[in-house]
Amino acid sequence: MKTLRLTNAAPDIRTAGELLKQGELVAIPTETVYGLAADALNGAAVENIFRAKGRPQDNPLIVHIADLSQVEDLTAFVPPVLQDLADAFWPGPLTVVLEKSDLIPDEVSAGLDTVAIRMPSHKDARAIIRAAGTPLAAPSANTSGMPSPTTAEHVLHDLDGKIAAVVDGGPCEVGVESTVLSLCTRVPRVLRPGKVTPDELFEVLGQVEVDEAVLGRLADDAVAASPGMKYKHYSPKAEVYLLNGSAKGFAEYVNARPAEETVALVFDGEEDLVRCRTLPFGAEGDPAGQAEHLFDDLRQADDWGVKEIYVRCPSDEGMGLAVLNRLLRAAEYRVIEV
Ligand code: AMP
Ligand code: MG
């Protein structure tokens, strides 16, 4: 299959909408990461997402909408608090998990009786949803397990020849996936951290819990509240290690490794800390900046063909929780105290 390269100009957005209506797969920009979209109400189209990504069948997808009125049809029950969340965070990088309606194909919910819904703020994403005339199921547009794509080039690196088209809307602003919040638990629960932080959710909800799988490793036999959390994720081919401690401790540890096979992900301004190649991934106190560059840096390290990636461990404050969550999974929980 030849993958069409589309721009975000109006005629190309219409083409993307037509392809989606026909049941094809189109990668689309969103403010978080690029999504691999299909008509969410077409089970056969959605099944192709799993095939193109090599995604495990039991990992459900997020349904993307452009208007709040679309929630009604997709869900069995809309809790009143959804309006407050929508007022505060939609359109934007918050996904809510609700009881699903019969319209949702099993392929989308992966057999669960819930559905994850998000209204993205990216103008191209919204235009494409409207052009398709249907909600779009879309996981990240990467090969399963690889770092999520934050540019159209990342998408093509993984999926060229496997999908009908990619719409190039430039680099993603947020850089990590949406916050996933379940409204099906007694107390609303963060299943995956993102730009919308637990503190911001607490302001609106008055109560919120963070699932233990956000920073911990699930036991092999544990049932994940969010099935995606049990998989190795966001991982480049090189082995990733998080080094927790001072800049000096980091430098000593990394400099003892073979420089030509190693890359260090450092905070901005620390490029001269070590002998091996470095990739700055944001300022030390700026988790939003770190999130924006993280996946691009992990992919860059792979392009260089290095064996080991050492990362300065970021703080878990605010949006840092999302950055740390992705890094822990990329590193398969290898954290070394230095
Ligand atoms: P990704 O598509 O790559 O952003 O992955 C979507 C994330 O949303 C995964 O971590 C899924 O496990 C999670 N998710 C999707 N639907 C549900 C659901 N119904 N309940 C809980 N988590 C969900
Ligand atoms: Mg993903």
Side-chain angles (χ1 to χ4, degrees), residues 219-304:
D220 286 342
D221 56 353
V223 177
S226 179
M229 291 197 296
K230 70 180 184 226
Y231 296 109
K232 177 178 174 180
H233 230 129
Y234 319 115
S235 275
K237 295 190 189 77
E239 301 280 351
V240 179
Y241 298 87
L242 270 168
L243 302 189
N244 189 34
S246 65
K248 184 164 170 285
F250 182 87
E252 278 168 12
Y253 194 96
V254 174
N255 283 335
R257 308 298 307 164
E260 33 331 309
E261 293 172 8
T262 305
V263 165
L265 259 66
V266 295
F267 298 131
D268 292 356
E270 294 181 342
E271 290 83 343
D272 297 330
L273 200 59
V274 290
R275 286 186 293 111
C276 67
R277 276 178 288 192
T278 56
L279 289 166
F281 74 111
E284 181 158 15
D286 177 22
Q290 295 166 12
E292 194 183 336
H293 301 113
L294 180 63
F295 289 141
D296 187 54
D297 282 0
L298 292 176
R299 282 175 176 267
Q300 176 64 63
D302 259 357
D303 286 349
W304 285 340

Side-chain angles (χ1 to χ4, degrees), residues 33 53 55 58-64 95-98 108-110 112-117 138-142 148 177-178 180 182 191-192 224-229 231 233-234:
V33 302
K53 282 181 58 94
R55 184 177 177 98
D58 65 347
N59 193 4
L61 308 180
I62 295 170
V63 176
H64 294 71
T95 296
V96 292
V97 175
L98 298 166
V108 170
S109 54
L112 300 175
D113 47 20
T114 53
V115 61
I117 301 179
S140 50
N142 53 314
S148 296
E177 303 82 351
S178 58
V180 177
S182 177
L191 304 182
R192 178 175 75 184
S226 179
M229 291 197 296
Y231 296 109
H233 230 129
Y234 319 115

